[in-house]
Amino acid sequence: MATIRQRGKSWYAEVRLKGKVSRKSFKTKAAANSWVLQTEGAIDSNKWVDARESRTALIENIIDLLVYSYERFGIEVAGPKLSALTQIKTYFQGTSIHQLTVDEVLDFAAYRRRTVSGSTLQKQMYYFKQAVDNSRIRTEVAAVDIAIEELKRKKIIKGSRLRDRRLEPGEYESLMREAEGHWIGPVIDFALATGMRQGEIWAFKWSDIDEKAGTLTSMRKDKDAELGKSKHEIPLLEGVREVLQRSQNQLPQGPKLVPVRRAASISDKFAKLTKAANIPDLTFHDLRHEAISRMFERGMTIEQVRVASGHRSFEQLARYVNLRAGDLAGL
């Protein structure tokens, strides 16, 4: 048996079924009706969980648990993901996962969509789902999963668009002027010379250079490897030696190229740099696109570029190839 009553501006719902009792208040009658149907179905199918026994399962604790599940193995959570998770914690502060409703998750999505793209919202929603799944807590209603499906049906969340951003004339010079005397300058040059990813550059050590073999050793993404990374040899391409020599003169002496504790510090500093240089819509990862495109423009073959970039297939590599039509004129 279920009852729904209005109390002031809220709606109070109660379900009594098979000796079990559950109560909750809502902002709208529609939300109360939806919860009643879901709760009755959960009790009928023996999937109902008494939320009163788990009031301490706060969403902020669930988010912290997800972050710890990586950090306990020495795996750093990337800055953008950490920021997105922190926003979820702040919005739902004091809310138990057992009290969370689909409407509340959709309200959060609507709030975020006012200031971010659909692809950014999609990432944040799946980070939210990952945190809930990681907690292994059974709930009456899979609020986040249901909300995600509704957002997909309405085409509010969608996949990321393929980026084709490259450096425009004068932008490199502007970046270097703003970066003068700072470690980010040599890092930008190293990224453009090697095409390495942010995490690879951050982890790079001077001892990874093998001058005799003409290679660099890098820990690259590998879905089949333990902890998701494995060692790869990268050719010491033309220009890389010069960049490294300049870096040794400009950077503090230490075992690593980049003197920062977190990989995310690179993209954070780069974002501040582009803002100071008044360069719109340019990310540190775009430098990888620029570097790989330059490799093709100087005549390297597909296989040569694939070895240098670390891609497993040309299909993966093709996403990073942004050749300019003007540069191909006369070929």
Side-chain angles (χ1 to χ4, degrees):
M1 178 181 175
T3 57
I4 298 176
R5 296 187 295 274
Q6 188 172 14
R7 289 183 175 176
K9 295 182 179 180
S10 299
W11 292 85
Y12 177 81
E14 179 179 275
V15 173
R16 291 177 176 271
L17 188 65
K18 295 183 177 180
K20 297 179 174 64
V21 181
S22 188
R23 305 180 183 90
K24 198 167 186 179
S25 60
F26 299 88
K27 294 179 182 179
T28 65
K29 187 176 182 180
N33 276 318
S34 175
W35 175 82
V36 164
L37 291 174
Q38 291 168 345
T39 302
E40 288 177 335
I43 293 175
D44 278 333
S45 60
N46 295 319
K47 294 180 180 179
W48 180 75
V49 178
D50 189 349
R52 293 171 299 180
E53 297 178 359
S54 304
R55 294 293 183 189
T56 59
L58 300 178
I59 290 173
E60 57 252 45
N61 295 337
I62 288 172
I63 298 293
D64 289 339
L65 184 62
L66 175 64
V67 174
Y68 174 68
S69 71
Y70 287 98
E71 292 180 342
R72 75 197 300 181
F73 293 108
I75 303 172
E76 181 188 22
V77 179
K81 182 174 183 177
L82 199 58
S83 176
L85 291 170
T86 300
Q87 289 168 349
I88 296 170
K89 282 178 59 174
T90 302
Y91 186 92
F92 290 103
Q93 189 170 19
T95 303
S96 167
I97 188 63
H98 294 292
Q99 296 173 321
L100 188 66
T101 67
V102 176
D103 278 341
E104 288 171 327
V105 180
L106 291 173
D107 283 344
F108 168 74
Y111 163 73
R112 292 293 297 136
R113 187 63 182 90
R114 293 191 205 109
T115 55
V116 300
S117 66
S119 58
T120 298
L121 175 61
Q122 175 168 283
K123 288 179 183 178
Q124 190 162 29
M125 295 303 296
Y126 277 105
Y127 293 155
F128 198 172
K129 172 179 166 56
Q130 185 183 14
V132 174
D133 291 346
N134 179 73
S135 73
R136 300 182 184 85
I137 296 174
R138 284 201 325 155
T139 57
E140 297 175 43
V141 178
V144 178
D145 293 80
I146 295 171
I148 287 174
E149 290 305 312
E150 184 166 334
L151 292 169
K152 287 164 64 176
R153 284 195 301 272
K154 289 182 168 63
K155 302 188 185 304
I156 294 169
I157 59 177
K158 53 189 176 181
S160 302
R161 65 181 176 87
L162 295 179
R163 288 182 64 84
D164 57 2
R165 181 68 159 92
R166 291 190 60 183
L167 288 174
E168 297 296 332
E171 288 185 338
Y172 170 78
E173 290 76 13
S174 295
L175 288 171
M176 287 299 106
R177 280 195 296 271
E178 294 295 334
E180 186 175 359
H182 195 278
W183 57 261
I184 191 66
V187 168
I188 291 171
D189 280 337
F190 189 67
L192 290 172
T194 63
M196 289 168 67
R197 300 176 180 89
Q198 173 178 287
E200 296 167 355
I201 294 172
W202 174 78
F204 179 78
K205 301 186 294 293
W206 295 109
S207 59
D208 293 332
I209 304 171
D210 187 335
E211 287 280 0
K212 186 176 180 180
T215 60
L216 307 175
T217 300
S218 175
M219 292 298 293
R220 289 199 145 156
K221 289 183 179 180
D222 185 344
K223 64 180 181 180
D224 299 322
E226 187 177 352
L227 300 181
K229 292 185 179 182
S230 61
K231 282 189 176 182
H232 287 259
E233 287 190 344
I234 305 170
L236 199 58
L237 298 175
E238 181 182 355
V240 178
R241 284 187 176 88
E242 290 78 3
V243 169
L244 290 172
Q245 287 171 353
R246 290 199 303 271
S247 299
Q248 286 181 315
N249 296 328
Q250 297 177 48
L251 293 172
Q253 294 300 309
K256 294 176 65 175
L257 173 71
V258 189
V260 293
R261 295 179 63 183
R262 298 172 58 249
S265 296
I266 297 175
S267 54
D268 290 346
K269 180 59 183 178
F270 189 80
K272 292 177 181 177
L273 202 68
T274 56
K275 185 176 181 179
N278 196 28
I279 299 176
D281 189 36
L282 182 69
T283 68
F284 187 79
H285 194 69
D286 289 331
L287 300 184
R288 179 163 162 82
H289 288 251
E290 178 72 27
I292 292 173
S293 296
R294 288 182 182 185
M295 292 177 194
F296 279 108
E297 288 168 349
R298 73 195 208 201
M300 291 176 64
T301 66
I302 291 174
E303 185 58 23
Q304 287 172 335
V305 175
R306 191 191 68 76
V307 171
S309 68
H311 289 99
R312 289 172 175 247
S313 66
F314 178 68
E315 287 73 19
Q316 294 174 328
L317 176 59
R319 297 184 64 230
Y320 288 84
V321 182
N322 306 125
L323 303 180
R324 292 190 176 100
D327 294 332
L328 304 180
L331 292 181

